[in-house]
Amino acid sequence: METYVKLVEVSPRDGLQNEEKIISTDIKIEFINRLSATGLAVIETTSFVSPKWIPQLADHSEVYQHITKQQEISYPVVVFNKRGLIDALAVDVKEIAVFTTPSEKFCQRNANCSVAESLQRVAELTQIAKQHDIRVRAYISCVLGCPYEGNITPAAVASLAEKLMVLNCDEISLGDTIGVGTPGKTKTLLQTVINRIPVKTIAVHFHNTYGQALANIYVALENDIRVIDSSVAGLGGCPYAKGASGNVASEDVLYMLHGLGIKTGVDLEKLIKVGHFIADYLEQPNRSNVGLAYQIKE
Amino acid sequence: METYVKLVEVSPRDGLQNEEKIISTDIKIEFINRLSATGLAVIETTSFVSPKWIPQLADHSEVYQHITKQQEISYPVVVFNKRGLIDALAVDVKEIAVFTTPSEKFCQRNANCSVAESLQRVAELTQIAKQHDIRVRAYISCVLGCPYEGNITPAAVASLAEKLMVLNCDEISLGDTIGVGTPGKTKTLLQTVINRIPVKTIAVHFHNTYGQALANIYVALENDIRVIDSSVAGLGGCPYAKGASGNVASEDVLYMLHGLGIKTGVDLEKLIKVGHFIADYLEQPNRSNVGLAYQIKE
């Protein structure tokens, strides 16, 4: 498996949006700048969403403008509607992330619209983005199960992925939003999706709620997936029970990738330090096994 | 992968031997009896070792005698020397576990003898055991790395495994004692060992120190391994840094196996409850992601 894998670090957005603690804009900027120094190629920076919905990210424009951007790093931002995209364009964003899901109930509760309407939104956003030469990453949530609908079929995910490609999205990130996936189901899902869209356009986004994320990522690698979403210190990913895990920890993913002889360009030791920096600041346990085992701090 | 996997629950021995808290004999018995009610086929019960070395397990004979033994469950005990075996025979033990390792330094520090001497001990113990119709499980420690010697070659592990088979051991459990293994190295190791001894005699014992255990176990399943050691609530396995993980949690392994359609005979919900029971008693965090996500208590 000697190859290159692109890690997409989602902690500044997916990790910080659920924090109860108020995080200063300065800390967010410092955090992203530290992540930028680790060798990561993609850092999802914030969400251009109304502060009515996610007050934690109300400073999105300020954060985006004041981080030290490096030429070779992409800093995508999440956008839900045209207003968000206009605000993102105003600060010269180069990549956006949009959302949809095959689950009608999840779509209603999370985006307040039907799946068809969410696709219309993606179509509108992607059209505008493409006019401005902006890259579009599309998340499909609940690909291995939904908290409201239960089972989600691989065919439904593959069909949605195909539609997103038709709408000109550049990359499709398959999200196991509630972490229920196991390697066999992951393999079936990926093979179904790979039959419909190019494997190079597929990313995976696993949550470690039931401890399955690394096994699922290994299956993704076996199936030629080369883009993996993760979050330093395992931040975010909506853990719904006290002490439970959310996003898979970037450090643990990186340890596995490097152990497999896969190149990432990321410095593990630096990343571990950033994980401790943010977990300490948030006064949260570090949810990376590698972070805890190394205990490298500055 | 529709098949049967035998889980070997190691928590009463490997989990409790490192506890600072003094655990009453009654609680140990209660704990093992609860494990017996989950459907587990093998429960490593204690270690017949001098209380000079492991005072936590000084009540080994009492525990072994007073647990409610079920016909279909095996209750192996760890034995290091002839004295331990004689004590085990006195209480009618049916299966023992013995230790060796390819690492000279680890052998010296842990068993106070050379690797060759440890094999002589295994030979002596196995010979006596076989005279009494006792099954012998042999652990090989440090199969993917040693804390003192660093790299361990798959060839060294395979050679040792072959010697243990010649000595009439029934099962060889390959232990990644410090949890450094990643799936590629695990695959190479297993394929090297499988070339030398029957795959049916091989068990795997992974530690989750760096979060890699489930990915490694998945690779073991792909390579036809059907015996997996694990520990409820992730107890034990010598976590050397505060908050770090030791043994892979049985609940997380079981969740993956059942998700893969593999039969184990174990009731996940019952096992989760036992995990909370012992973690609560020990006043330790439950290190099973599945345990934390479910939060099923009695």
Side-chain angles (χ1 to χ4, degrees):
Chain A
M1 264 192 205
E2 298 223 4
T3 181
Y4 173 81
V5 159
K6 186 172 83 173
L7 277 191
V8 176
E9 176 63 36
V10 300
S11 54
R13 196 273 311 171
D14 196 13
L16 301 186
Q17 73 179 14
N18 297 307
E19 284 302 314
E20 280 177 41
K21 183 168 173 171
I22 293 164
I23 304 160
S24 76
T25 305
D26 283 351
I27 285 287
K28 291 177 186 173
I29 293 167
E30 169 80 15
F31 176 42
I32 295 165
N33 286 344
R34 288 188 187 214
L35 288 171
S36 289
T38 64
L40 283 161
V42 187
I43 303 168
E44 194 177 73
T45 300
T46 184
S47 182
F48 279 71
V49 60
S50 164
K52 241 188 355 193
W53 297 108
I54 309 181
Q56 291 90 336
L57 302 183
D59 55 359
H60 46 69
S61 293
E62 207 181 339
V63 168
Y64 191 83
Q65 283 180 290
H66 290 95
I67 53 172
T68 306
K69 294 182 199 73
Q70 299 194 17
Q71 191 66 38
E72 65 283 10
I73 303 180
S74 183
Y75 299 91
V77 304
V78 169
V79 161
F80 289 96
N81 53 30
K82 203 170 159 184
R83 168 65 197 274
L85 180 51
I86 289 166
D87 290 348
L89 286 172
V91 295
D92 205 19
V93 159
K94 306 288 188 199
E95 180 172 356
I96 60 168
V98 296
F99 271 92
T100 188
T101 171
S103 163
E104 284 294 345
K105 285 188 186 158
F106 193 85
C107 208
Q108 283 295 349
R109 299 214 194 183
N110 273 263
N112 205 26
C113 67
S114 70
V115 172
E117 285 164 339
S118 82
L119 276 173
Q120 283 164 14
R121 286 189 199 174
V122 170
E124 184 189 23
L125 294 171
T126 306
Q127 198 185 13
I128 303 170
K130 289 297 155 190
Q131 286 164 6
H132 293 82
D133 209 17
I134 285 176
R135 193 172 187 272
V136 180
R137 168 166 234 263
Y139 283 107
I140 304 182
S141 292
C142 300
V143 296
L144 285 156
C146 168
Y148 314 118
E149 294 190 3
N151 191 43
I152 298 289
T153 68
V157 177
S159 164
L160 200 54
E162 205 172 33
K163 285 174 189 159
L164 291 167
M165 291 307 289
V166 170
L167 295 177
N168 263 325
C169 294
D170 298 286
E171 189 171 280
I172 314 291
S173 176
L174 304 175
D176 180 14
T177 311
I178 52 173
V180 294
T182 40
K185 287 170 190 165
T186 298
K187 188 174 173 179
T188 303
L189 170 70
L190 292 175
Q191 292 182 347
T192 307
V193 178
I194 289 166
N195 273 336
R196 302 281 281 273
I197 67 170
V199 66
K200 281 191 178 178
T201 61
I202 304 172
V204 288
H205 185 113
F206 286 109
H207 286 193
N208 204 35
T209 324
Y210 299 92
Q212 310 295 308
L214 245 59
N216 292 335
I217 289 172
Y218 180 72
V219 167
L221 293 168
E222 284 188 319
N223 285 277
D224 301 323
I225 304 294
R226 295 293 179 259
V227 185
I228 299 169
D229 299 0
S230 64
S231 179
V232 83
L235 285 188
C238 291
Y240 54 85
K242 200 188 161 201
S245 286
N247 277 305
V248 65
S250 306
E251 300 92 317
D252 298 6
V253 175
L254 202 60
Y255 187 94
M256 181 172 81
L257 293 173
H258 291 181
L260 287 163
I262 292 172
K263 288 185 176 57
T264 63
V266 184
D267 182 317
L268 177 58
E269 198 164 309
K270 283 185 183 170
L271 198 67
I272 290 169
K273 287 180 187 169
V274 182
H276 285 302
F277 161 76
I278 194 69
D280 287 353
Y281 174 79
L282 296 172
E283 295 170 315
Q284 277 201 1
N286 190 321
R287 290 208 179 85
S288 161
N289 282 298
V290 169
L292 290 169
Y294 275 98
Q295 295 286 353
I296 306 165
K297 298 201 185 192
E298 282 186 302
Chain B
M1 262 190 206
E2 298 223 4
T3 182
Y4 173 80
V5 159
K6 186 172 83 172
L7 278 191
V8 176
E9 176 63 37
V10 300
S11 54
R13 195 273 311 170
D14 196 12
L16 301 186
Q17 73 178 15
N18 297 307
E19 284 302 314
E20 281 177 40
K21 183 168 173 171
I22 292 164
I23 303 160
S24 76
T25 305
D26 284 349
I27 285 287
K28 290 177 187 174
I29 292 167
E30 169 80 14
F31 176 41
I32 295 165
N33 287 345
R34 288 187 186 216
L35 288 170
S36 289
T38 64
L40 283 160
V42 187
I43 303 168
E44 195 178 74
T45 300
T46 185
S47 182
F48 279 71
V49 60
S50 165
K52 240 189 356 193
W53 298 108
I54 308 181
Q56 291 89 336
L57 301 183
D59 55 0
H60 45 68
S61 294
E62 208 182 337
V63 168
Y64 190 84
Q65 283 180 290
H66 290 95
I67 52 172
T68 306
K69 294 183 200 73
Q70 298 193 18
Q71 191 66 38
E72 66 283 9
I73 303 180
S74 183
Y75 299 90
V77 304
V78 169
V79 161
F80 289 96
N81 53 32
K82 204 171 160 181
R83 167 67 197 274
L85 180 52
I86 289 165
D87 290 347
L89 286 171
V91 295
D92 204 20
V93 159
K94 306 288 187 201
E95 180 172 356
I96 60 167
V98 296
F99 270 90
T100 188
T101 171
S103 162
E104 283 295 345
K105 284 188 186 159
F106 192 86
C107 207
Q108 284 295 348
R109 300 214 193 182
N110 273 263
N112 205 24
C113 67
S114 69
V115 172
E117 285 164 340
S118 81
L119 276 173
Q120 284 165 14
R121 286 189 197 174
V122 169
E124 184 190 24
L125 294 171
T126 306
Q127 199 184 14
I128 302 171
K130 289 296 153 190
Q131 286 163 8
H132 293 81
D133 208 17
I134 285 176
R135 192 172 188 272
V136 181
R137 169 167 232 263
Y139 283 106
I140 304 183
S141 293
C142 299
V143 295
L144 285 157
C146 167
Y148 314 118
E149 294 189 4
N151 191 45
I152 297 290
T153 67
V157 177
S159 165
L160 200 54
E162 204 171 35
K163 286 174 189 161
L164 291 167
M165 290 308 289
V166 170
L167 294 176
N168 263 327
C169 294
D170 299 284
E171 187 170 280
I172 313 291
S173 176
L174 304 175
D176 180 13
T177 311
I178 52 173
V180 294
T182 41
K185 287 170 189 163
T186 298
K187 188 175 174 178
T188 304
L189 170 70
L190 292 175
Q191 293 182 347
T192 308
V193 178
I194 289 166
N195 273 335
R196 303 280 281 274
I197 68 170
V199 66
K200 280 191 179 180
T201 61
I202 304 172
V204 287
H205 185 113
F206 286 108
H207 287 191
N208 203 34
T209 324
Y210 300 92
Q212 310 295 308
L214 245 59
N216 292 335
I217 288 171
Y218 180 71
V219 166
L221 294 169
E222 284 188 320
N223 285 277
D224 301 323
I225 304 294
R226 295 293 179 260
V227 186
I228 299 170
D229 299 2
S230 63
S231 179
V232 83
L235 286 187
C238 290
Y240 54 87
K242 200 188 161 202
S245 286
N247 278 305
V248 66
S250 305
E251 300 92 317
D252 298 6
V253 175
L254 202 59
Y255 186 95
M256 182 172 81
L257 293 174
H258 290 182
L260 287 163
I262 293 171
K263 289 185 174 56
T264 63
V266 185
D267 182 317
L268 176 58
E269 199 164 308
K270 284 185 183 170
L271 198 67
I272 290 169
K273 287 179 187 170
V274 182
H276 286 302
F277 161 76
I278 193 69
D280 287 353
Y281 174 80
L282 296 171
E283 296 170 314
Q284 277 201 1
N286 189 320
R287 290 208 179 84
S288 162
N289 282 298
V290 169
L292 290 170
Y294 275 98
Q295 296 286 353
I296 306 166
K297 298 202 184 191
E298 283 186 299

